[in-house]
Amino acid sequence: IPNDLPSNMTAKIAVNEGGCWIWTGALNSRGYGCVGVEGRSQLTHRVAYTLLVGPIPDGLQIDHVLARGCTSKACCNPEHLEPVTGKVNCSRTSRATKTHCIRGHRLAGANLITKRRKAGRIERNCRTCQADAVRRHLRKKRGSEREYAIDHRRAAILRPS
């Protein structure tokens, strides 16, 4: 760890086997390290990047790059950080790159539902799970004595005869 970092930072950095400089001090609610610099709380990865690499270009954010071995938001190794646009940063998140839903269904082809949310964010959902949720809602709404089946190929709700 270089001596260019403030002493209150170097004392709270642990290097792991992947080369990450894990911040062992305070973390914010999103898991990023926080350190007091010039009387203000600042994010450790931004402080380390600024002091060891240079200023963060206007309009860019600092992204933890998984391809460089970074596995933690608490990492402040400048070799694991890259200035990118907000759009690129969001496109690299686990939410944007997930391949399966929480129930194990593949998020691709006809089973993938994409919705544009406020501020342009795109949400990706599982059609199978969505159809199951609709079926459960209808069962609850109309009473459990009536059965409903779902055709997963067309994701349409059918009434049994």
Side-chain angles (χ1 to χ4, degrees):
I1 300 172
N3 293 333
D4 296 349
L5 292 175
S7 60
N8 65 333
M9 280 188 72
T10 56
K12 295 180 181 177
I13 294 174
V15 180
N16 72 10
E17 59 279 349
C20 287
W21 298 357
I22 303 298
W23 179 252
T24 61
L27 300 177
N28 70 9
S29 62
R30 294 181 178 214
Y32 293 100
C34 295
V35 63
V37 178
E38 297 175 359
R40 286 184 45 207
S41 179
Q42 297 185 31
L43 298 174
T44 56
H45 64 286
R46 292 177 58 86
V47 172
Y49 187 90
T50 302
L51 292 176
L52 301 176
V53 177
I56 299 167
D58 287 342
L60 298 184
Q61 303 173 353
I62 296 298
D63 184 24
H64 291 83
V65 184
L66 184 62
R68 294 189 188 153
C70 193
T71 58
S72 174
K73 291 179 180 180
C75 177
C76 56
N77 182 346
E79 292 179 5
H80 294 183
L81 305 172
E82 177 182 20
V84 297
T85 63
K87 185 174 184 176
V88 169
N89 198 1
C90 288
S91 73
R92 293 178 176 175
T93 65
S94 61
R95 178 181 283 167
T97 58
K98 68 181 178 178
T99 59
H100 290 77
C101 75
I102 60 171
R103 291 181 184 84
H105 304 123
R106 186 152 172 77
L107 291 176
N111 195 47
L112 177 64
I113 301 171
T114 56
K115 297 177 186 173
R116 186 168 297 278
R117 296 295 185 191
K118 290 182 181 177
R121 184 174 66 87
I122 295 175
E123 186 176 279
R124 299 165 67 233
N125 290 310
C126 172
R127 188 175 303 276
T128 303
C129 291
Q130 178 77 25
D132 288 344
V134 169
R135 187 184 75 238
R136 283 191 308 274
H137 172 75
L138 288 175
R139 279 186 181 162
K140 184 177 179 181
K141 182 177 174 183
R142 298 185 184 183
S144 60
E145 73 281 352
R146 296 179 75 183
E147 288 291 324
Y148 287 87
I150 189 158
D151 180 350
H152 289 285
R153 279 179 250 134
R154 291 186 319 220
I157 298 177
L158 306 173
R159 287 189 186 184
S161 30

Short mmCIF file of all heavy atoms in Angstrom, two decimals, residues 59-123:
data_model
loop_
_atom_site.label_atom_id
_atom_site.label_comp_id
_atom_site.label_asym_id
_atom_site.label_seq_id
_atom_site.Cartn_x
_atom_site.Cartn_y
_atom_site.Cartn_z
N GLY A 59 -18.11 14.12 -15.12
CA GLY A 59 -19.16 13.32 -15.73
C GLY A 59 -18.94 11.82 -15.64
O GLY A 59 -19.76 11.05 -16.14
N LEU A 60 -17.85 11.39 -15.01
CA LEU A 60 -17.59 9.96 -14.89
C LEU A 60 -17.67 9.51 -13.44
O LEU A 60 -17.57 10.32 -12.51
CB LEU A 60 -16.20 9.61 -15.46
CG LEU A 60 -15.99 9.89 -16.94
CD1 LEU A 60 -14.62 9.41 -17.38
CD2 LEU A 60 -17.07 9.25 -17.79
N GLN A 61 -17.88 8.22 -13.26
CA GLN A 61 -17.95 7.59 -11.94
C GLN A 61 -16.82 6.58 -11.84
O GLN A 61 -16.31 6.11 -12.85
CB GLN A 61 -19.28 6.86 -11.78
CG GLN A 61 -20.50 7.70 -11.97
CD GLN A 61 -21.78 6.89 -11.96
OE1 GLN A 61 -21.76 5.66 -11.96
NE2 GLN A 61 -22.90 7.58 -12.00
N ILE A 62 -16.46 6.24 -10.61
CA ILE A 62 -15.43 5.22 -10.41
C ILE A 62 -16.13 3.87 -10.24
O ILE A 62 -16.99 3.71 -9.38
CB ILE A 62 -14.56 5.54 -9.17
CG1 ILE A 62 -13.80 6.84 -9.42
CG2 ILE A 62 -13.59 4.41 -8.89
CD1 ILE A 62 -12.84 6.80 -10.59
N ASP A 63 -15.75 2.91 -11.10
CA ASP A 63 -16.37 1.58 -11.10
C ASP A 63 -15.36 0.55 -10.62
O ASP A 63 -14.19 0.59 -10.99
CB ASP A 63 -16.83 1.25 -12.53
CG ASP A 63 -17.56 -0.07 -12.62
OD1 ASP A 63 -18.12 -0.53 -11.61
OD2 ASP A 63 -17.59 -0.66 -13.72
N HIS A 64 -15.81 -0.39 -9.79
CA HIS A 64 -15.01 -1.54 -9.39
C HIS A 64 -15.08 -2.55 -10.53
O HIS A 64 -16.17 -2.99 -10.89
CB HIS A 64 -15.57 -2.17 -8.10
CG HIS A 64 -15.38 -1.30 -6.90
ND1 HIS A 64 -16.24 -0.28 -6.59
CD2 HIS A 64 -14.42 -1.31 -5.95
CE1 HIS A 64 -15.82 0.31 -5.48
NE2 HIS A 64 -14.72 -0.29 -5.08
N VAL A 65 -13.95 -2.92 -11.10
CA VAL A 65 -13.92 -3.76 -12.28
C VAL A 65 -13.67 -5.21 -11.89
O VAL A 65 -12.57 -5.57 -11.48
CB VAL A 65 -12.86 -3.28 -13.29
CG1 VAL A 65 -12.90 -4.10 -14.56
CG2 VAL A 65 -13.07 -1.81 -13.60
N LEU A 66 -14.71 -6.03 -12.03
CA LEU A 66 -14.62 -7.44 -11.68
C LEU A 66 -13.56 -8.16 -12.51
O LEU A 66 -12.86 -9.03 -12.01
CB LEU A 66 -15.99 -8.11 -11.88
CG LEU A 66 -16.10 -9.57 -11.48
CD1 LEU A 66 -15.83 -9.74 -9.99
CD2 LEU A 66 -17.46 -10.11 -11.82
N ALA A 67 -13.40 -7.77 -13.76
CA ALA A 67 -12.43 -8.42 -14.64
C ALA A 67 -10.99 -8.26 -14.14
O ALA A 67 -10.12 -9.04 -14.47
CB ALA A 67 -12.54 -7.85 -16.06
N ARG A 68 -10.77 -7.26 -13.31
CA ARG A 68 -9.43 -7.05 -12.76
C ARG A 68 -9.27 -7.72 -11.39
O ARG A 68 -8.32 -7.45 -10.68
CB ARG A 68 -9.14 -5.57 -12.65
CG ARG A 68 -9.07 -4.90 -14.00
CD ARG A 68 -8.59 -3.49 -13.90
NE ARG A 68 -8.72 -2.83 -15.20
CZ ARG A 68 -8.88 -1.54 -15.34
NH1 ARG A 68 -8.92 -0.75 -14.31
NH2 ARG A 68 -8.99 -1.03 -16.55
N GLY A 69 -10.24 -8.54 -11.02
CA GLY A 69 -10.13 -9.29 -9.77
C GLY A 69 -10.88 -8.68 -8.60
O GLY A 69 -10.87 -9.24 -7.51
N CYS A 70 -11.53 -7.56 -8.80
CA CYS A 70 -12.21 -6.90 -7.68
C CYS A 70 -13.51 -7.62 -7.34
O CYS A 70 -14.34 -7.85 -8.21
CB CYS A 70 -12.50 -5.45 -8.03
SG CYS A 70 -12.99 -4.50 -6.60
N THR A 71 -13.66 -7.97 -6.08
CA THR A 71 -14.84 -8.71 -5.64
C THR A 71 -15.62 -7.98 -4.55
O THR A 71 -16.57 -8.53 -4.02
CB THR A 71 -14.45 -10.09 -5.11
OG1 THR A 71 -13.52 -9.92 -4.02
CG2 THR A 71 -13.80 -10.94 -6.19
N SER A 72 -15.22 -6.78 -4.21
CA SER A 72 -15.85 -6.11 -3.07
C SER A 72 -16.02 -4.62 -3.31
O SER A 72 -15.13 -3.95 -3.82
CB SER A 72 -14.99 -6.33 -1.83
OG SER A 72 -15.48 -5.60 -0.75
N LYS A 73 -17.17 -4.09 -2.87
CA LYS A 73 -17.39 -2.65 -2.91
C LYS A 73 -16.49 -1.93 -1.91
O LYS A 73 -16.26 -0.74 -2.03
CB LYS A 73 -18.85 -2.33 -2.57
CG LYS A 73 -19.84 -2.76 -3.61
CD LYS A 73 -21.25 -2.41 -3.14
CE LYS A 73 -22.30 -2.81 -4.13
NZ LYS A 73 -23.63 -2.45 -3.66
N ALA A 74 -15.98 -2.66 -0.93
CA ALA A 74 -15.10 -2.08 0.07
C ALA A 74 -13.66 -1.99 -0.42
O ALA A 74 -12.79 -1.50 0.29
CB ALA A 74 -15.17 -2.88 1.37
N CYS A 75 -13.38 -2.46 -1.64
CA CYS A 75 -12.03 -2.41 -2.20
C CYS A 75 -11.68 -0.98 -2.61
O CYS A 75 -12.50 -0.28 -3.20
CB CYS A 75 -11.92 -3.34 -3.40
SG CYS A 75 -10.31 -3.28 -4.22
N CYS A 76 -10.44 -0.58 -2.31
CA CYS A 76 -10.00 0.76 -2.73
C CYS A 76 -8.67 0.69 -3.48
O CYS A 76 -7.94 1.67 -3.53
CB CYS A 76 -9.95 1.71 -1.54
SG CYS A 76 -8.93 1.18 -0.17
N ASN A 77 -8.36 -0.47 -4.06
CA ASN A 77 -7.15 -0.62 -4.87
C ASN A 77 -7.38 0.09 -6.20
O ASN A 77 -8.25 -0.29 -6.98
CB ASN A 77 -6.85 -2.10 -5.11
CG ASN A 77 -5.58 -2.33 -5.89
OD1 ASN A 77 -5.03 -1.43 -6.49
ND2 ASN A 77 -5.13 -3.56 -5.89
N PRO A 78 -6.58 1.13 -6.53
CA PRO A 78 -6.81 1.87 -7.77
C PRO A 78 -6.63 1.03 -9.02
O PRO A 78 -7.18 1.36 -10.08
CB PRO A 78 -5.79 3.01 -7.72
CG PRO A 78 -5.01 2.84 -6.49
CD PRO A 78 -5.53 1.69 -5.72
N GLU A 79 -5.91 -0.09 -8.94
CA GLU A 79 -5.77 -0.98 -10.09
C GLU A 79 -7.08 -1.71 -10.40
O GLU A 79 -7.25 -2.24 -11.48
CB GLU A 79 -4.66 -2.00 -9.85
CG GLU A 79 -3.28 -1.38 -9.81
CD GLU A 79 -2.20 -2.40 -9.55
OE1 GLU A 79 -2.50 -3.62 -9.50
OE2 GLU A 79 -1.04 -1.98 -9.40
N HIS A 80 -8.00 -1.73 -9.44
CA HIS A 80 -9.30 -2.38 -9.62
C HIS A 80 -10.39 -1.38 -9.94
O HIS A 80 -11.57 -1.73 -9.97
CB HIS A 80 -9.68 -3.16 -8.35
CG HIS A 80 -8.79 -4.30 -8.06
ND1 HIS A 80 -9.01 -5.15 -7.01
CD2 HIS A 80 -7.67 -4.76 -8.67
CE1 HIS A 80 -8.08 -6.08 -6.99
NE2 HIS A 80 -7.24 -5.85 -7.99
N LEU A 81 -10.03 -0.13 -10.14
CA LEU A 81 -10.99 0.95 -10.35
C LEU A 81 -10.82 1.55 -11.74
O LEU A 81 -9.71 1.61 -12.27
CB LEU A 81 -10.81 2.03 -9.28
CG LEU A 81 -10.89 1.55 -7.83
CD1 LEU A 81 -10.49 2.68 -6.89
CD2 LEU A 81 -12.25 1.02 -7.50
N GLU A 82 -11.93 2.01 -12.29
CA GLU A 82 -11.89 2.60 -13.63
C GLU A 82 -12.95 3.70 -13.72
O GLU A 82 -14.08 3.49 -13.31
CB GLU A 82 -12.19 1.50 -14.66
CG GLU A 82 -12.25 1.96 -16.07
CD GLU A 82 -12.59 0.83 -17.03
OE1 GLU A 82 -13.14 -0.20 -16.62
OE2 GLU A 82 -12.31 1.02 -18.22
N PRO A 83 -12.59 4.86 -14.27
CA PRO A 83 -13.61 5.89 -14.48
C PRO A 83 -14.46 5.55 -15.70
O PRO A 83 -13.93 5.26 -16.78
CB PRO A 83 -12.79 7.17 -14.72
CG PRO A 83 -11.44 6.71 -15.12
CD PRO A 83 -11.25 5.31 -14.60
N VAL A 84 -15.78 5.50 -15.51
CA VAL A 84 -16.71 5.16 -16.59
C VAL A 84 -17.94 6.05 -16.48
O VAL A 84 -18.18 6.68 -15.45
CB VAL A 84 -17.15 3.66 -16.52
CG1 VAL A 84 -15.97 2.73 -16.73
CG2 VAL A 84 -17.85 3.35 -15.22
N THR A 85 -18.77 6.03 -17.52
CA THR A 85 -20.02 6.78 -17.48
C THR A 85 -21.00 6.04 -16.55
O THR A 85 -20.83 4.85 -16.27
CB THR A 85 -20.66 6.89 -18.86
OG1 THR A 85 -20.98 5.57 -19.32
CG2 THR A 85 -19.74 7.59 -19.84
N GLY A 86 -22.02 6.73 -16.12
CA GLY A 86 -23.04 6.11 -15.27
C GLY A 86 -23.73 4.95 -15.98
O GLY A 86 -24.05 3.94 -15.36
N LYS A 87 -23.95 5.09 -17.27
CA LYS A 87 -24.61 4.03 -18.04
C LYS A 87 -23.77 2.76 -18.06
O LYS A 87 -24.27 1.66 -17.86
CB LYS A 87 -24.88 4.51 -19.46
CG LYS A 87 -25.67 3.55 -20.30
CD LYS A 87 -26.02 4.14 -21.65
CE LYS A 87 -26.89 3.18 -22.44
NZ LYS A 87 -27.33 3.76 -23.70
N VAL A 88 -22.47 2.90 -18.29
CA VAL A 88 -21.58 1.74 -18.28
C VAL A 88 -21.52 1.13 -16.89
O VAL A 88 -21.58 -0.10 -16.73
CB VAL A 88 -20.16 2.14 -18.76
CG1 VAL A 88 -19.15 1.02 -18.52
CG2 VAL A 88 -20.20 2.52 -20.23
N ASN A 89 -21.43 1.97 -15.87
CA ASN A 89 -21.39 1.49 -14.49
C ASN A 89 -22.63 0.65 -14.16
O ASN A 89 -22.53 -0.43 -13.61
CB ASN A 89 -21.25 2.67 -13.53
CG ASN A 89 -20.76 2.26 -12.16
OD1 ASN A 89 -20.49 1.10 -11.88
ND2 ASN A 89 -20.66 3.24 -11.28
N CYS A 90 -23.80 1.14 -14.55
CA CYS A 90 -25.04 0.41 -14.29
C CYS A 90 -25.12 -0.87 -15.11
O CYS A 90 -25.65 -1.88 -14.63
CB CYS A 90 -26.25 1.29 -14.60
SG CYS A 90 -26.51 2.58 -13.39
N SER A 91 -24.59 -0.86 -16.32
CA SER A 91 -24.67 -2.06 -17.16
C SER A 91 -23.80 -3.20 -16.64
O SER A 91 -23.97 -4.34 -17.04
CB SER A 91 -24.27 -1.73 -18.61
OG SER A 91 -22.88 -1.51 -18.70
N ARG A 92 -22.88 -2.89 -15.74
CA ARG A 92 -21.99 -3.91 -15.18
C ARG A 92 -22.49 -4.50 -13.86
O ARG A 92 -21.85 -5.38 -13.31
CB ARG A 92 -20.60 -3.32 -14.95
CG ARG A 92 -19.87 -2.95 -16.22
CD ARG A 92 -18.55 -2.32 -15.88
NE ARG A 92 -17.76 -2.04 -17.07
CZ ARG A 92 -16.60 -1.40 -17.05
NH1 ARG A 92 -16.09 -0.96 -15.91
NH2 ARG A 92 -15.95 -1.19 -18.17
N THR A 93 -23.59 -4.03 -13.36
CA THR A 93 -24.09 -4.51 -12.07
C THR A 93 -24.61 -5.93 -12.17
O THR A 93 -24.95 -6.41 -13.26
CB THR A 93 -25.23 -3.61 -11.53
OG1 THR A 93 -26.34 -3.71 -12.42
CG2 THR A 93 -24.79 -2.16 -11.38
N SER A 94 -24.70 -6.60 -11.03
CA SER A 94 -25.20 -7.97 -11.02
C SER A 94 -26.65 -8.02 -11.48
O SER A 94 -27.08 -8.98 -12.12
CB SER A 94 -25.09 -8.57 -9.62
OG SER A 94 -25.84 -7.83 -8.69
N ARG A 95 -27.42 -7.00 -11.21
CA ARG A 95 -28.82 -6.95 -11.66
C ARG A 95 -28.90 -6.92 -13.19
O ARG A 95 -29.75 -7.56 -13.79
CB ARG A 95 -29.51 -5.72 -11.07
CG ARG A 95 -30.94 -5.57 -11.51
CD ARG A 95 -31.57 -4.34 -10.93
NE ARG A 95 -31.89 -4.59 -9.53
CZ ARG A 95 -32.21 -3.65 -8.68
NH1 ARG A 95 -32.27 -2.39 -9.05
NH2 ARG A 95 -32.48 -3.94 -7.43
N ALA A 96 -28.00 -6.19 -13.82
CA ALA A 96 -28.03 -6.06 -15.27
C ALA A 96 -27.44 -7.27 -15.99
O ALA A 96 -27.77 -7.53 -17.14
CB ALA A 96 -27.27 -4.80 -15.69
N THR A 97 -26.59 -8.02 -15.32
CA THR A 97 -25.91 -9.14 -15.98
C THR A 97 -26.41 -10.50 -15.54
O THR A 97 -25.87 -11.52 -15.97
CB THR A 97 -24.39 -9.06 -15.74
OG1 THR A 97 -24.14 -9.08 -14.33
CG2 THR A 97 -23.80 -7.81 -16.36
N LYS A 98 -27.44 -10.54 -14.69
CA LYS A 98 -27.92 -11.84 -14.21
C LYS A 98 -28.49 -12.67 -15.36
O LYS A 98 -29.10 -12.14 -16.29
CB LYS A 98 -28.93 -11.68 -13.08
CG LYS A 98 -30.26 -11.07 -13.48
CD LYS A 98 -31.18 -10.92 -12.28
CE LYS A 98 -32.48 -10.26 -12.69
NZ LYS A 98 -33.39 -10.13 -11.59
N THR A 99 -28.26 -13.98 -15.30
CA THR A 99 -28.70 -14.87 -16.38
C THR A 99 -29.89 -15.72 -15.97
O THR A 99 -30.55 -16.31 -16.83
CB THR A 99 -27.56 -15.81 -16.80
OG1 THR A 99 -27.14 -16.57 -15.66
CG2 THR A 99 -26.39 -15.02 -17.38
N HIS A 100 -30.17 -15.80 -14.65
CA HIS A 100 -31.28 -16.61 -14.15
C HIS A 100 -32.01 -15.83 -13.05
O HIS A 100 -31.40 -15.04 -12.34
CB HIS A 100 -30.78 -17.94 -13.58
CG HIS A 100 -30.26 -18.86 -14.63
ND1 HIS A 100 -29.02 -18.71 -15.21
CD2 HIS A 100 -30.81 -19.94 -15.22
CE1 HIS A 100 -28.83 -19.66 -16.10
NE2 HIS A 100 -29.90 -20.42 -16.13
N CYS A 101 -33.31 -16.09 -12.91
CA CYS A 101 -34.08 -15.46 -11.83
C CYS A 101 -33.76 -16.18 -10.51
O CYS A 101 -33.04 -17.17 -10.50
CB CYS A 101 -35.57 -15.51 -12.13
SG CYS A 101 -36.33 -17.13 -11.91
N ILE A 102 -34.34 -15.71 -9.42
CA ILE A 102 -34.05 -16.30 -8.11
C ILE A 102 -34.58 -17.72 -7.98
O ILE A 102 -34.12 -18.47 -7.13
CB ILE A 102 -34.60 -15.42 -6.96
CG1 ILE A 102 -36.11 -15.27 -7.06
CG2 ILE A 102 -33.91 -14.08 -6.93
CD1 ILE A 102 -36.74 -14.60 -5.85
N ARG A 103 -35.51 -18.12 -8.85
CA ARG A 103 -36.03 -19.49 -8.83
C ARG A 103 -35.34 -20.39 -9.86
O ARG A 103 -35.74 -21.52 -10.06
CB ARG A 103 -37.54 -19.48 -9.05
CG ARG A 103 -38.29 -18.86 -7.86
CD ARG A 103 -39.79 -18.87 -8.07
NE ARG A 103 -40.42 -18.20 -6.95
CZ ARG A 103 -40.58 -16.89 -6.85
NH1 ARG A 103 -40.15 -16.10 -7.78
NH2 ARG A 103 -41.18 -16.37 -5.79
N GLY A 104 -34.32 -19.87 -10.53
CA GLY A 104 -33.51 -20.66 -11.44
C GLY A 104 -33.94 -20.69 -12.89
O GLY A 104 -33.33 -21.37 -13.70
N HIS A 105 -34.99 -19.94 -13.25
CA HIS A 105 -35.41 -19.89 -14.65
C HIS A 105 -34.44 -19.02 -15.45
O HIS A 105 -34.02 -17.96 -14.99
CB HIS A 105 -36.83 -19.32 -14.78
CG HIS A 105 -37.85 -20.06 -13.98
ND1 HIS A 105 -38.63 -19.44 -13.04
CD2 HIS A 105 -38.20 -21.37 -13.97
CE1 HIS A 105 -39.44 -20.33 -12.49
NE2 HIS A 105 -39.19 -21.51 -13.03
N ARG A 106 -34.12 -19.43 -16.65
CA ARG A 106 -33.20 -18.69 -17.52
C ARG A 106 -33.86 -17.40 -17.99
O ARG A 106 -35.00 -17.39 -18.43
CB ARG A 106 -32.81 -19.55 -18.71
CG ARG A 106 -31.77 -18.93 -19.57
CD ARG A 106 -30.94 -19.98 -20.28
NE ARG A 106 -30.05 -19.41 -21.26
CZ ARG A 106 -28.92 -18.78 -20.97
NH1 ARG A 106 -28.55 -18.67 -19.71
NH2 ARG A 106 -28.16 -18.27 -21.92
N LEU A 107 -33.13 -16.30 -17.90
CA LEU A 107 -33.62 -15.00 -18.35
C LEU A 107 -33.13 -14.75 -19.78
O LEU A 107 -32.14 -14.07 -20.01
CB LEU A 107 -33.12 -13.89 -17.43
CG LEU A 107 -33.72 -13.88 -16.03
CD1 LEU A 107 -33.08 -12.80 -15.19
CD2 LEU A 107 -35.21 -13.70 -16.09
N ALA A 108 -33.85 -15.37 -20.73
CA ALA A 108 -33.48 -15.21 -22.14
C ALA A 108 -34.68 -15.55 -23.01
O ALA A 108 -35.62 -16.21 -22.57
CB ALA A 108 -32.31 -16.14 -22.48
N GLY A 109 -34.66 -15.09 -24.23
CA GLY A 109 -35.70 -15.40 -25.21
C GLY A 109 -37.08 -15.01 -24.74
O GLY A 109 -37.29 -13.93 -24.20
N ALA A 110 -38.03 -15.94 -24.93
CA ALA A 110 -39.43 -15.66 -24.60
C ALA A 110 -39.67 -15.56 -23.10
O ALA A 110 -40.69 -15.03 -22.67
CB ALA A 110 -40.33 -16.76 -25.18
N ASN A 111 -38.74 -16.05 -22.29
CA ASN A 111 -38.93 -16.00 -20.84
C ASN A 111 -38.45 -14.68 -20.23
O ASN A 111 -38.58 -14.45 -19.04
CB ASN A 111 -38.21 -17.17 -20.16
CG ASN A 111 -38.68 -17.36 -18.74
OD1 ASN A 111 -39.87 -17.35 -18.46
ND2 ASN A 111 -37.74 -17.49 -17.82
N LEU A 112 -37.89 -13.78 -21.02
CA LEU A 112 -37.37 -12.51 -20.51
C LEU A 112 -38.35 -11.38 -20.79
O LEU A 112 -38.78 -11.17 -21.93
CB LEU A 112 -36.03 -12.19 -21.17
CG LEU A 112 -35.40 -10.85 -20.79
CD1 LEU A 112 -35.05 -10.81 -19.31
CD2 LEU A 112 -34.16 -10.61 -21.64
N ILE A 113 -38.72 -10.66 -19.73
CA ILE A 113 -39.56 -9.47 -19.84
C ILE A 113 -38.69 -8.28 -19.50
O ILE A 113 -38.04 -8.26 -18.46
CB ILE A 113 -40.75 -9.51 -18.86
CG1 ILE A 113 -41.63 -10.72 -19.09
CG2 ILE A 113 -41.57 -8.23 -18.96
CD1 ILE A 113 -42.69 -10.92 -18.01
N THR A 114 -38.64 -7.28 -20.37
CA THR A 114 -37.90 -6.06 -20.06
C THR A 114 -38.89 -4.90 -19.96
O THR A 114 -39.81 -4.79 -20.77
CB THR A 114 -36.84 -5.74 -21.14
OG1 THR A 114 -37.47 -5.66 -22.39
CG2 THR A 114 -35.76 -6.80 -21.17
N LYS A 115 -38.69 -4.08 -18.94
CA LYS A 115 -39.54 -2.91 -18.72
C LYS A 115 -38.65 -1.71 -18.49
O LYS A 115 -37.67 -1.78 -17.77
CB LYS A 115 -40.42 -3.10 -17.48
CG LYS A 115 -41.38 -4.25 -17.55
CD LYS A 115 -42.13 -4.39 -16.23
CE LYS A 115 -42.99 -5.62 -16.22
NZ LYS A 115 -43.58 -5.85 -14.91
N ARG A 116 -39.01 -0.59 -19.10
CA ARG A 116 -38.28 0.65 -18.86
C ARG A 116 -38.92 1.36 -17.68
O ARG A 116 -40.11 1.62 -17.66
CB ARG A 116 -38.29 1.54 -20.09
CG ARG A 116 -37.41 2.76 -19.92
CD ARG A 116 -37.19 3.51 -21.21
NE ARG A 116 -36.50 2.74 -22.22
CZ ARG A 116 -35.18 2.58 -22.28
NH1 ARG A 116 -34.43 3.12 -21.36
NH2 ARG A 116 -34.62 1.88 -23.24
N ARG A 117 -38.12 1.66 -16.69
CA ARG A 117 -38.58 2.35 -15.48
C ARG A 117 -38.20 3.83 -15.54
O ARG A 117 -37.57 4.29 -16.49
CB ARG A 117 -37.98 1.69 -14.24
CG ARG A 117 -38.44 0.27 -14.04
CD ARG A 117 -39.92 0.26 -13.76
NE ARG A 117 -40.37 -1.08 -13.45
CZ ARG A 117 -41.61 -1.43 -13.38
NH1 ARG A 117 -42.55 -0.56 -13.61
NH2 ARG A 117 -41.95 -2.66 -13.10
N LYS A 118 -38.53 4.53 -14.48
CA LYS A 118 -38.21 5.96 -14.40
C LYS A 118 -36.71 6.16 -14.56
O LYS A 118 -35.91 5.30 -14.19
CB LYS A 118 -38.66 6.53 -13.05
CG LYS A 118 -40.16 6.61 -12.93
CD LYS A 118 -40.55 7.21 -11.61
CE LYS A 118 -42.07 7.25 -11.49
NZ LYS A 118 -42.50 7.77 -10.21
N ALA A 119 -36.34 7.27 -15.08
CA ALA A 119 -34.94 7.66 -15.31
C ALA A 119 -34.24 6.73 -16.29
O ALA A 119 -33.03 6.63 -16.31
CB ALA A 119 -34.16 7.73 -13.99
N GLY A 120 -35.02 6.00 -17.10
CA GLY A 120 -34.45 5.17 -18.15
C GLY A 120 -33.92 3.82 -17.73
O GLY A 120 -33.40 3.07 -18.54
N ARG A 121 -34.02 3.49 -16.44
CA ARG A 121 -33.51 2.20 -15.96
C ARG A 121 -34.34 1.07 -16.56
O ARG A 121 -35.56 1.14 -16.62
CB ARG A 121 -33.60 2.14 -14.43
CG ARG A 121 -33.00 0.88 -13.84
CD ARG A 121 -32.97 0.95 -12.33
NE ARG A 121 -34.28 0.96 -11.73
CZ ARG A 121 -34.98 -0.13 -11.42
NH1 ARG A 121 -34.50 -1.31 -11.66
NH2 ARG A 121 -36.18 -0.02 -10.88
N ILE A 122 -33.68 0.01 -17.01
CA ILE A 122 -34.38 -1.13 -17.58
C ILE A 122 -34.41 -2.26 -16.56
O ILE A 122 -33.39 -2.63 -15.99
CB ILE A 122 -33.70 -1.60 -18.88
CG1 ILE A 122 -33.83 -0.49 -19.93
CG2 ILE A 122 -34.32 -2.90 -19.38
CD1 ILE A 122 -33.12 -0.77 -21.22
N GLU A 123 -35.60 -2.78 -16.32
CA GLU A 123 -35.79 -3.87 -15.37
C GLU A 123 -36.00 -5.15 -16.15
O GLU A 123 -36.72 -5.18 -17.14
CB GLU A 123 -37.03 -3.56 -14.52
CG GLU A 123 -37.27 -4.53 -13.41
CD GLU A 123 -38.45 -4.08 -12.57
OE1 GLU A 123 -38.28 -3.20 -11.73
OE2 GLU A 123 -39.56 -4.61 -12.80
#
